[in-house]
Amino acid sequence: MGSLLTERKAVGWAARDSSGVLSPFSYVHRDTGDDDVYLKVICCGICHTDIHQLKNELGMSNYPMVPGHEVVGEVIEVGSKVTGFKAGDIVGVGCIVGSCNNCHPCKADIEQYCNKKIWSYNDVYTDGKPTMGGFADSMVVNHKFVVKIPQGMDPEQAAPLLCAGVTVYSPLNHFNLTGSGLKGAILGLGGVGHMGVKIAKAMGHHVTVISSSNKKREEALDYLGADDYILSTDSEKMQELVDSFDYIIDTIPVHHPLIPYLTLLKVDGKLILMGVINRPLEFITPLVMLGRKSITGSFIGSMKETKEVLDFCKEKGISSTIEKVKMDYVNTAMERLEKNDVRYRFVVDVAGSKLQL
C-alpha cells in the first residue's frame, strides 16, 4: 500500500465547449491521499445524462469536461488507510465520488441525496480541482465511492449496472416493490428501461413495456422477457389497462405528458420519474387524489444499493445488453444515443482504445 501523495498524469477524451465534441485531452489528477484508490480504467458506459452535461443542456457545464460515470477498472494502488481494496481488484465507480459524511442522507446511507455530493465529473473536488470521469485511462477516487465487481462478472456487463441498473433497483427497493406478483410498467426502453425489465422480471413481477413505436416489440418480448408491450398511441389498449399497475417506471429523458400514465395506476400506485428533463411536466390533481396515487422521483442509488444490485444481478444471472465501442467512435455513439439508436447501452472499451490520436 502506498500514500499516493504525488500527482498522476492522465489522458482522456474531453469536450471543450457545448458542441459536446470529444477529443484527446491530457491532464493531471487531483492530489491523492491515504483514503484513495488509484485505478486503471477498463471500460465505461455511456449514459443519456452525459449528453445533457456535454451540451450544457442543464446550464451548469464546465469545460474541459471528461465525462463517464459507469466506470469499471483495475486497482493499481491504494492509500495506506484503505483496507477494503487491493491491487488487482476489479472495481466500479458510479455517479458520485464524494459527499459531506455529516448530513442526514449521508448518515442514512443515501449519500446520493447529500446537498454537498461531488459528481464523478463536471464538479470540483474538496481540493479545488475539477473532477474528471471515466473516458480516461485512469481515475483517483475515495475508497468510500468504489465498489468491488463480483468475481466472474464481465467488466463490460457490470458498467451499466453502476448507473442504469442501480437507478432502477433503488426505487423498487425503497418503495418496497421487490416482492413477487406485482404488476409494473416500464415507460421507455433505453439503457435504464431495459435494465428495468430485466430486474423487475427477476423479482417476479408482471412487466409491461410502454413505448411510442413498435420497433422494439419483438426485442422486449422475446429477448428481454417482458410480458406485454403496448404503444402509448394505442388508445384502446391504454383504456383497457386503466387501474392496472402497482408502479410505472418512467425513464423518458424528454418532455412528455403524464396524464395518460397516471390513469394506468392502481389505487396507491406510483409513477416514478427518472428522466432528466429541464421543462415543467403537467398533470391534473384529481387523477392523483382520486386514487391516492403518487408522482415521485428517484435518483441513482446509494453505495449500499450499488453493491446490492451487483450481487443481485450476479445471483440472478442478469446481464446488460450492450454495444461495445472504441473511444474513437464515441462521438458517433453520442449522436446515435440522441436518436435512441443503441441496443441498449454503449460501453466504451477504454483499455483497448488508443486515447492519443
Side-chain angles (χ1 to χ4, degrees):
M1 301 198 305
S3 63
L4 300 180
L5 295 178
T6 59
E7 291 185 331
R8 306 264 188 180
K9 293 182 179 179
V11 178
W13 275 46
R16 271 68 167 188
D17 54 44
S18 60
S19 70
V21 176
L22 296 156
S23 59
F25 174 66
S26 297
Y27 58 101
V28 176
H29 286 305
R30 63 179 174 82
D31 289 340
T32 52
D34 292 341
D35 293 317
D36 291 322
V37 173
Y38 174 56
L39 61 97
K40 173 186 175 183
V41 176
I42 297 172
C43 61
C44 184
I46 302 179
C47 176
H48 204 280
T49 302
D50 294 328
I51 296 174
H52 290 312
Q53 296 280 22
L54 288 169
K55 296 195 171 184
N56 197 27
E57 293 176 352
L58 303 177
M60 56 184 186
S61 296
N62 298 290
Y63 304 97
M65 180 194 303
V66 176
H69 59 247
E70 295 180 343
V71 189
V72 177
E74 179 184 351
V75 175
I76 302 301
E77 192 175 5
V78 299
S80 61
K81 295 182 180 179
V82 177
T83 58
F85 304 97
K86 64 182 185 304
D89 284 347
I90 304 302
V91 298
V93 178
C95 295
I96 60 175
V97 294
S99 66
C100 77
N101 297 316
N102 295 313
C103 65
H104 169 69
C106 285
K107 291 179 179 179
D109 290 329
I110 49 172
E111 62 285 330
Q112 73 271 32
Y113 298 112
C114 173
N115 289 330
K116 295 181 180 179
K117 61 182 166 289
I118 302 173
W119 303 102
S120 301
Y121 69 90
N122 192 35
D123 207 344
V124 178
Y125 204 68
T126 53
D127 62 355
K129 292 199 172 189
T131 58
M132 299 291 184
F135 286 20
D137 59 3
S138 57
M139 291 182 74
V140 177
V141 184
N142 185 288
H143 71 98
K144 293 181 180 179
F145 297 91
V146 179
V147 294
K148 281 187 180 178
I149 302 302
Q151 189 171 3
M153 182 177 282
D154 290 339
E156 293 84 2
Q157 291 291 330
L161 301 179
L162 300 169
C163 175
V166 74
T167 294
V168 171
Y169 178 86
S170 180
L172 293 175
N173 178 58
H174 174 72
F175 293 117
N176 296 315
L177 296 169
T178 58
S180 63
L182 296 177
K183 193 170 182 181
I186 307 296
L187 182 53
L189 195 60
V192 175
H194 100 281
M195 289 307 309
V197 174
K198 292 187 175 189
I199 289 173
K201 284 298 297 178
M203 290 177 174
H205 299 181
H206 182 284
V207 180
T208 297
V209 172
I210 304 175
S211 183
S212 59
S213 79
N214 254 326
K215 69 178 184 178
K216 295 182 179 178
R217 175 184 292 274
E218 184 176 347
E219 181 92 3
L221 297 173
D222 297 340
Y223 178 73
L224 298 179
D227 297 288
D228 200 1
Y229 186 103
I230 66 170
L231 291 176
S232 57
T233 54
D234 186 341
S235 56
E236 183 176 339
K237 186 66 174 177
M238 291 283 282
Q239 183 61 36
E240 290 177 7
L241 291 173
V242 167
D243 298 332
S244 291
F245 298 114
D246 296 292
Y247 65 88
I248 298 174
I249 293 178
D250 182 348
T251 72
I252 298 176
V254 296
H255 190 271
H256 60 284
L258 298 184
I259 291 173
Y261 310 110
L262 287 169
T263 64
L264 305 183
L265 292 170
K266 296 177 181 178
V267 172
D268 290 328
K270 291 177 172 55
L271 177 61
I272 305 168
L273 303 178
M274 293 185 177
V276 178
I277 302 168
N278 59 3
R279 290 173 55 196
L281 301 176
E282 296 181 354
F283 65 96
I284 56 174
T285 58
L287 281 177
V288 176
M289 296 163 55
L290 296 177
R292 201 164 61 186
K293 301 173 184 179
S294 301
I295 300 173
T296 187
S298 182
F299 176 66
I300 55 171
S302 66
M303 297 308 299
K304 180 175 180 289
E305 289 171 325
T306 302
K307 295 172 186 174
E308 288 175 4
V309 76
L310 286 166
D311 290 339
F312 178 82
C313 289
K314 178 68 188 311
E315 177 190 347
K316 299 293 185 178
I318 298 173
S319 60
S320 311
T321 303
I322 65 168
E323 185 173 336
K324 190 174 174 181
V325 299
K326 301 293 187 183
M327 190 68 80
D328 60 8
Y329 187 80
V330 72
N331 290 306
T332 301
M334 293 289 184
E335 292 173 3
R336 286 179 54 195
L337 179 57
E338 282 193 284
K339 300 173 184 175
N340 200 26
D341 176 24
V342 56
R343 181 183 173 272
Y344 283 91
R345 201 68 153 184
F346 284 116
V347 175
V348 182
D349 175 15
V350 178
S353 297
K354 185 178 179 181
L355 300 185
Q356 288 280 34
L357 297 182

